[in-house]
Amino acid sequence: MRFSIWRITLKVIFVVFMLLIMIGPLVGIVIWSFARVWYWPSPIPQEFTLRYWLEVFRQGRVLNSLMLSVTIALLTVVFSITLAIPAAYGFARYKLPFERVLLLLFLMPQTFPQLPVFINLASIFGRMGLRGNIWGIILAHTMASLVFSLWIITATFKSIPVELEHVAQNLGASRFKTFWTVTFPLAIPGIIAGAIYVFLWSMGEFTAAFFIGAPFIQTAPVLMYTSSMGYNLQIASVIAIILVIPSLIFMVLIERFLKAEYIAGLGG
Amino acid sequence: MMVVLQTQNLCKSYGQVKALDDVNVYIEDAQLLAVIGPSGSGKTTLLRSIAGFVELDSGKILIKSKDVTNLPPEKRNVAMFFQNYALWPHMTVFENVAYGLKIRKYDKNTIRERVEWALDFLDIRSLAERKPSQLSGGQQQRVALARAIVIQPDVLLLDEPLSNLDAKIRMRIRFELKALQKRLKIPTLYVTHDQEEALSIADKIAIMHNGKVLQVGTPEEVYKNPVDLFIADFIGVNSVVKVKCAGEKLVEVGNLKLPVQKETVYVVIRAEETKVLPIQQRFDIAEGDLRLEGTIIGKLYLGSKYRYEIKIEGVDEVLFINSEEVYNVNEQVQIISRKGNFFIYEQ
Amino acid sequence: MEVRNRIVGFLLILPAFLILALLYVYPLIRAIWMSFIKDGFLSLANYAKAFDIYSRDILYSVVITSVTVGFVLVLSILLASYLRFKEWRFLDIMYRLPLFIPFLIVGHAMRIFLAPHGTLNSLLTRILKVEELPGFSRSWIGLLWTFVWVMTPYAALIILGAFRALDSSYIEAARNLGASKGKIVFTVIIPMCKPSIMVAAILTFVRTISSLTILVMIGPNTPNMITVDMMFRINFFNDWGVANALGVISYLIVIVLAVYYLRFMAAERGGIKG
Ligand SMILES: Nc1ncnc2c1ncn2[C@@H]1O[C@H](COP(=O)(O)OP(=O)(O)O)[C@@H](O)[C@H]1O
Ligand SMILES: [Mg+2]
């Protein structure tokens, strides 16, 4: 029964099918990133080239936009995490006034359509001179990523037994001292996870970067979009791969801790 | 006599741990077989393998002479009672009990009749439309039982059914359960780590240790004739004394001189059946009775009696024995255990 | 002490609160406000125009999104049921792959994969030995495919989480009474995990209807979903009023759903407690 030929055949077919539909699209972009000439109906390009990959390392559009994205993502991480740590501690340990309203507010950006907010933010920033400026994008990214950095870190704080803090306070440490010497060190893994998460999200974010960065700022996803629209599929594919690889590595690393609430925001 | 359930040479290992090691037990007619043993001895694994939730390494399970070893759980007509009751919270009591009948595709009227019979049987008819969260623990337990018996299973499997209840209720339910099992005439396998519970309700007892069944017998048999040291110690309330062989293949324990083959002798003394007397008091001891002399080194007040901690000259272990008499610490006493109330094993 | 505690707590969240208030709540209110402003006056003209031009697109958005939710739910429940009963690392990893790929890249990859001369067709034509196959990359089929591809893992993660959190004894009790695995899924697991399934459905709905990136990469040119209409209104017509009206309409759709959800949860809780 268990080793029947039917079952094995079915399983093989299913595995092939899964590989095709899940990995297939990614294989497509990898092949395109090396394609120089590719005419239908050849299954692979007629000519391969490393030209588009080399362009990444040469001074130019691709490198510039990648560097820009990294800069924006790093600053976003700094702001987002700095704001999230005290707020997360507040949510985890204090009774707050209007707690339900606050909770709702801090969940809304990820559970409510974002686009109207981003376009109005673009219009507001436009009048303040923040449109077409990387600070505008950083602010928008900080706002949007705050929600999930906050929830990841809140979960981390909540998982630390409150008794550990009581012991320190009992021994005479102030609340601040307690946080700094007990809670914070224990929360570092969670904070790092949150930071990586925010970084990856910001690197791949398109909508805010597109509306607020326009027309001068081209982050990597925006450049990818314009390349793809202009049928420069090779450049688009190279950028896509560069953006995807860190995410996949991160996925493997945190696979064990993967919880639904952590990835509410990914994708964008 | 008809054998309803029989396991043959069941083996199951989890890594290095042998959870079942060549287990053979059987249930005849409407007997209640209690499986006892300390925690981790493989009782749950045995029960779950009969229900089909454990994939065995080897061995066979026969139910009504039919080999069910390779049947999935849903194809075996055995009913299991879960420790946490596992009542589905989204169904009413009626729906919970009717579930197994619906699966068996009985018509509506038959289902209604049989569910009502089961609810009446357990005296919970009035709860039929409630949800499990609206029931007390005891009521939930009855619903779980009703759900198990309504399908008229070939065997009923109970895994520590009383462990969630507090001590007083446990006593009462114990007898109710036994009465219910006798009225239903349903072959039952009852797992517990509480030897007292097993002695009081079982027709037969199987004692497990490290995945092995060490002895199977009626409660009297296992109490009176435990086949090895572990069983003697596990059943009842006992004190164990370890005596090293002095040489010459002879061991002296109190008044007894025993010829032995091995190094060490263990004496298991049933604490409930042992007397503690003042050292001077004359007492006729018959052939084969055990008499020890010792000193009281501690005592605990237990209400109706005392528990004494008694040190015996030349023996490392101290004895714990209950007595209604009053002694003081450091007082010399003699300990008398009649033949049959203590057991001697060599090892 | 109690009051002091509350003040300290509020001060801790204040910076984050301010950022959200300024950069989220203010634009949100502005979106609603601007949707009622036409040429400097308060009016419903933007809505009239939005419905006039885009009623078909609004309907299309709702339909595509609902169909997506339907497929996603069926697939993720199947997946979660399978993985609840059987460990299979291959499947466990495969289904989660899309979780970490930004939407834009998914859109690009699918464009290449599903194009008339794309990776999929170049394989299929070879297997089926035909000359040409239609591509799906700029059709509703491709769009649906991509949405399902990208949304299923998230829904499945939530649902599988709930399925796995369900105590095994509930499932074993049903098997013990003779229920097959399929029967157990429908009579025990799904009813007991209904709240999580609802959450998955609603989150999928919101994420789908508010997605822009996938649409600009792979969506059909017409009809369009409202997010794309909003983008066009701004980029080509500089018409913020209608764009905001469309935004508010998408909010309303989501709010209707949220209310329904809250009602459902209240009923669920009421049902159990009586
Ligand atoms: N699913 C399992 N995986 C690994 N080890 C198990 C599993 N189930 C039982 N065991 C081991 O098998 C032994 C017997 O367990 P069990 O049958 O639960 O004992 P009991 O019910 O008598 O307490 C224990 O050592 C336990 O740790
Ligand atoms: Mg057990």
Side-chain angles (χ1 to χ4, degrees):
Chain A
M1 256 299 274
R2 220 162 286 151
F3 299 99
S4 87
I5 194 86
W6 269 109
R7 284 192 139 200
I8 292 177
T9 318
L10 266 177
K11 197 156 175 171
V12 168
I13 290 174
F14 181 78
V15 167
V16 170
F17 176 74
M18 277 304 273
L19 285 174
L20 176 67
I21 62 170
M22 301 313 286
I23 308 271
L26 299 181
V27 172
I29 48 179
V30 172
I31 299 179
W32 261 111
S33 75
F34 292 106
R36 183 187 173 89
V37 184
W38 191 356
Y39 291 116
W40 179 259
S42 161
I44 50 165
Q46 278 85 357
E47 281 180 52
F48 287 94
T49 176
L50 283 176
R51 202 179 93 201
Y52 301 100
W53 277 99
L54 289 176
E55 199 161 311
V56 176
F57 301 100
R58 273 201 305 270
Q59 198 58 37
R61 271 189 326 157
V62 180
L63 186 65
N64 283 345
S65 67
L66 276 170
M67 292 312 289
L68 186 70
S69 278
V70 171
T71 311
I72 291 175
L74 285 176
L75 287 167
T76 301
V77 167
V78 172
F79 290 134
S80 182
I81 298 293
T82 314
L83 288 165
I85 288 176
Y89 193 72
F91 270 110
R93 289 287 193 258
Y94 287 88
K95 195 128 192 65
L96 298 171
F98 309 110
E99 193 155 320
R100 293 183 78 94
V101 180
L102 284 175
L103 229 78
L104 189 70
L105 175 68
F106 278 87
L107 279 174
M108 251 170 71
Q110 289 299 333
T111 47
F112 226 54
Q114 276 185 343
L115 186 59
V117 168
F118 282 149
I119 58 181
N120 281 280
L121 206 53
S123 142
I124 294 165
F125 281 173
R127 268 180 284 147
M128 296 165 63
L130 282 173
R131 202 170 175 202
N133 179 322
I134 77 162
W135 289 103
I137 302 178
I138 293 169
L139 280 175
H141 279 192
T142 302
M143 178 274 288
S145 67
L146 192 52
V147 176
F148 39 80
S149 57
L150 179 73
W151 292 125
I152 294 176
I153 299 174
T154 305
T156 313
F157 282 149
K158 279 193 174 155
S159 71
I160 298 170
V162 73
E163 289 76 20
L164 295 181
E165 292 181 15
H166 289 168
V167 172
Q169 282 175 323
N170 194 249
L171 293 173
S174 67
R175 259 205 115 129
F176 183 74
K177 183 106 187 156
T178 305
F179 174 80
W180 206 236
T181 54
V182 177
T183 323
F184 182 73
L186 288 173
I188 283 177
I191 293 172
I192 289 176
I196 294 176
Y197 189 84
V198 170
F199 180 83
L200 293 174
W201 175 82
S202 171
M203 288 290 290
E205 204 280 341
F206 170 73
T207 314
F210 179 73
F211 283 104
I212 295 170
F216 305 115
I217 301 281
Q218 278 207 322
T219 62
V222 176
L223 177 62
M224 200 201 118
Y225 168 73
T226 39
S227 310
S228 190
M229 288 297 116
Y231 286 95
N232 194 344
L233 296 182
Q234 291 92 334
I235 287 289
S237 302
V238 168
I239 300 174
I241 294 167
I242 292 174
L243 291 178
V244 151
I245 286 173
S247 297
L248 290 181
I249 292 173
F250 182 59
M251 167 176 164
V252 173
L253 286 184
I254 69 153
E255 198 235 332
R256 222 160 281 258
F257 312 102
L258 209 58
K259 293 225 190 76
E261 58 267 31
Y262 282 19
I263 36 176
L266 263 192
Chain B
M1 284 294 204
M2 173 184 164
V3 176
V4 182
L5 169 76
Q6 185 168 24
T7 74
Q8 296 176 343
N9 314 95
L10 302 187
C11 289
K12 173 72 187 175
S13 299
Y14 291 109
Q16 295 295 313
V17 182
K18 280 191 175 172
L20 296 179
D21 189 357
D22 198 22
V23 171
N24 296 286
V25 292
Y26 62 94
I27 300 179
E28 284 173 330
D29 295 330
Q31 273 182 347
L32 191 150
L33 172 72
V35 177
I36 59 173
S39 174
S41 56
K43 308 179 297 290
T44 299
T45 308
L46 172 61
L47 184 119
R48 289 172 57 81
S49 64
I50 293 168
F53 294 119
V54 170
E55 217 170 290
L56 292 164
D57 297 339
S58 63
K60 248 191 198 180
I61 296 168
L62 306 178
I63 293 175
K64 293 194 165 160
S65 315
K66 193 174 139 221
D67 186 353
V68 300
T69 318
N70 292 319
L71 286 184
E74 60 267 29
K75 298 269 168 61
R76 308 178 180 198
N77 195 30
V78 300
M80 189 160 159
F81 175 89
F82 289 80
Q83 218 166 11
N84 62 350
Y85 313 139
L87 297 175
W88 301 296
H90 59 291
M91 300 184 198
T92 61
V93 167
F94 187 95
E95 287 164 343
N96 264 286
V97 178
Y99 191 87
L101 300 173
K102 276 188 196 148
I103 296 287
R104 285 165 176 71
K105 300 211 161 61
Y106 288 102
D107 67 82
K108 263 212 163 87
N109 288 332
T110 318
I111 291 178
R112 174 158 290 280
E113 254 168 48
R114 297 213 0 213
V115 171
E116 281 172 359
W117 165 82
L119 294 178
D120 280 335
F121 197 86
L122 285 150
D123 209 12
I124 46 172
R125 176 93 172 252
S126 58
L127 308 176
E129 295 312 315
R130 293 214 202 152
K131 290 268 173 80
S133 57
Q134 299 166 304
L135 305 176
S136 70
Q139 290 170 330
Q140 289 185 13
Q141 191 183 38
R142 285 158 179 272
V143 177
L145 263 176
R147 185 177 68 180
I149 60 169
V150 77
I151 59 166
Q152 299 179 334
D154 296 328
V155 183
L156 179 63
L157 305 174
L158 305 162
D159 191 358
E160 314 221 359
L162 306 185
S163 65
N164 276 354
L165 303 172
D166 55 50
K168 274 202 178 136
I169 305 181
R170 211 181 310 170
M171 281 293 190
R172 211 191 67 222
I173 307 270
R174 201 188 273 177
F175 292 106
E176 272 186 32
L177 212 58
K178 174 152 189 171
L180 183 134
Q181 191 257 339
K182 286 289 161 252
R183 267 199 294 161
L184 276 174
K185 297 193 176 41
I186 190 166
T188 301
L189 190 134
Y190 187 108
V191 163
T192 175
H193 64 269
D194 181 344
Q195 46 91 20
E196 193 194 327
E197 191 172 295
L199 288 174
S200 64
I201 91 170
D203 298 310
K204 274 201 173 161
I205 291 180
I207 298 143
M208 286 190 78
H209 184 44
N210 290 338
K212 281 198 176 69
V213 172
L214 301 180
Q215 185 175 4
V216 184
T218 62
E220 292 78 13
E221 275 165 13
V222 296
Y223 190 80
K224 296 256 167 65
N225 297 309
V227 296
D228 76 2
L229 171 64
F230 173 81
I231 299 169
D233 188 22
F234 187 74
I235 305 261
V237 181
N238 310 292
S239 273
V240 184
V241 172
K242 183 170 150 194
V243 188
K244 279 255 187 309
C245 182
E248 304 298 310
K249 303 269 176 222
L250 208 69
V251 156
E252 243 179 272
V253 187
N255 60 324
L256 299 179
K257 289 194 173 51
L258 308 164
V260 290
Q261 311 296 321
K262 294 180 192 158
E263 288 285 292
T264 323
V265 166
Y266 292 86
V267 184
V268 180
I269 301 171
R270 294 257 186 265
E272 311 101 315
E273 324 264 0
T274 301
K275 288 195 178 69
V276 182
L277 300 172
I279 192 101
Q280 263 77 32
Q281 186 173 334
R282 285 191 55 91
F283 192 85
D284 291 326
I285 43 175
E287 176 75 31
D289 290 354
L290 174 68
R291 180 175 178 280
L292 295 166
E293 292 183 1
T295 316
I296 308 255
I297 59 170
K299 78 180 196 183
L300 276 178
Y301 184 52
L302 297 180
S304 64
K305 54 195 162 191
Y306 292 87
R307 159 166 300 183
Y308 293 106
E309 205 175 325
I310 303 167
K311 171 84 179 137
I312 290 158
E313 200 58 37
V315 175
D316 292 337
E317 291 78 16
V318 288
L319 268 63
F320 293 94
I321 293 173
N322 298 345
S323 169
E324 288 160 20
E325 316 289 326
V326 184
Y327 302 101
N328 296 320
V329 173
N330 288 331
E331 210 172 319
Q332 295 276 310
V333 290
Q334 54 177 329
I335 299 156
I336 313 283
S337 190
R338 294 284 187 195
K339 188 176 180 187
N341 292 332
F342 66 94
F343 309 96
I344 294 171
Y345 301 94
E346 295 175 28
Q347 226 156 42
Chain C
M1 198 58 204
E2 174 73 357
V3 173
R4 190 173 158 257
N5 244 339
R6 281 176 173 241
I7 292 172
V8 173
F10 188 74
L11 285 179
L12 284 174
I13 63 157
L14 189 63
F17 176 77
L18 284 180
I19 289 286
L20 276 196
L22 286 177
L23 300 181
Y24 185 77
V25 179
Y26 171 53
L28 185 90
I29 291 170
R30 188 174 179 275
I32 298 170
W33 174 248
M34 293 295 279
S35 72
F36 291 106
I37 301 288
K38 175 80 181 169
D39 302 326
F41 293 101
L42 212 54
S43 82
L44 286 174
N46 292 323
Y47 286 93
K49 194 166 171 189
F51 279 112
D52 194 32
I53 316 178
Y54 297 119
S55 52
R56 195 169 83 113
D57 286 2
I58 295 170
L59 187 68
Y60 180 74
S61 301
V62 173
V63 170
I64 282 281
T65 307
S66 307
V67 175
T68 302
V69 172
F71 274 109
V72 166
L73 280 191
V74 170
L75 281 178
S76 48
I77 288 175
L78 277 177
L79 202 76
S81 307
Y82 186 86
L83 288 175
R84 176 63 179 81
F85 284 112
K86 229 182 186 147
E87 295 268 325
W88 189 12
R89 268 191 77 73
F90 169 77
L91 188 60
D92 217 350
I93 291 173
M94 266 311 134
Y95 94 84
R96 285 190 296 197
L97 193 67
L99 281 176
F100 284 84
I101 306 179
F103 280 11
L104 187 72
I105 293 167
V106 173
H108 174 65
M110 283 300 182
R111 215 153 81 94
I112 289 174
F113 187 63
L114 299 174
H117 290 177
T119 324
L120 179 65
N121 277 357
S122 101
L123 207 94
L124 287 183
T125 46
R126 236 152 281 273
I127 293 172
L128 304 173
K129 305 229 181 302
V130 290
E131 285 285 303
E132 286 279 334
L133 278 171
F136 294 128
S137 67
R138 284 274 173 207
S139 76
W140 63 271
I141 299 178
L143 183 62
L144 197 62
W145 171 285
T146 309
F147 273 142
V148 172
W149 194 86
V150 104
M151 300 293 173
T152 302
Y154 185 52
L157 197 67
I158 297 175
I159 294 174
L160 179 59
F163 281 14
R164 285 199 172 136
L166 190 66
D167 195 297
S168 300
S169 63
Y170 291 115
I171 292 164
E172 287 177 353
R175 288 197 82 184
N176 182 247
L177 292 174
S180 63
K181 286 177 184 163
K183 193 103 191 162
I184 293 172
V185 168
F186 282 104
T187 56
V188 174
I189 301 180
I190 291 180
M192 285 184 74
C193 296
K194 228 183 199 167
S196 297
I197 295 173
M198 286 290 285
V199 168
I202 286 179
L203 283 176
T204 305
F205 190 96
V206 173
R207 298 182 86 210
T208 307
I209 205 163
S210 55
S211 148
L212 171 67
T213 25
I214 285 179
L215 285 153
V216 297
M217 294 304 283
I218 197 170
N221 294 321
T222 176
N224 253 316
M225 283 178 60
I226 36 184
T227 44
V228 180
D229 295 333
M230 281 160 75
M231 178 171 147
F232 283 169
R233 274 288 125 190
I234 291 164
N235 282 0
F236 298 144
F237 303 103
N238 204 24
D239 180 0
W240 297 76
V242 173
N244 278 321
L246 286 169
V248 173
I249 290 168
S250 74
Y251 282 158
L252 288 177
I253 296 170
V254 171
I255 286 173
V256 167
L257 213 67
V259 168
Y260 175 75
Y261 167 74
L262 290 177
R263 277 232 186 120
F264 164 82
M265 289 306 284
E268 190 83 346
R269 225 170 282 138
I272 288 174
K273 282 209 186 114

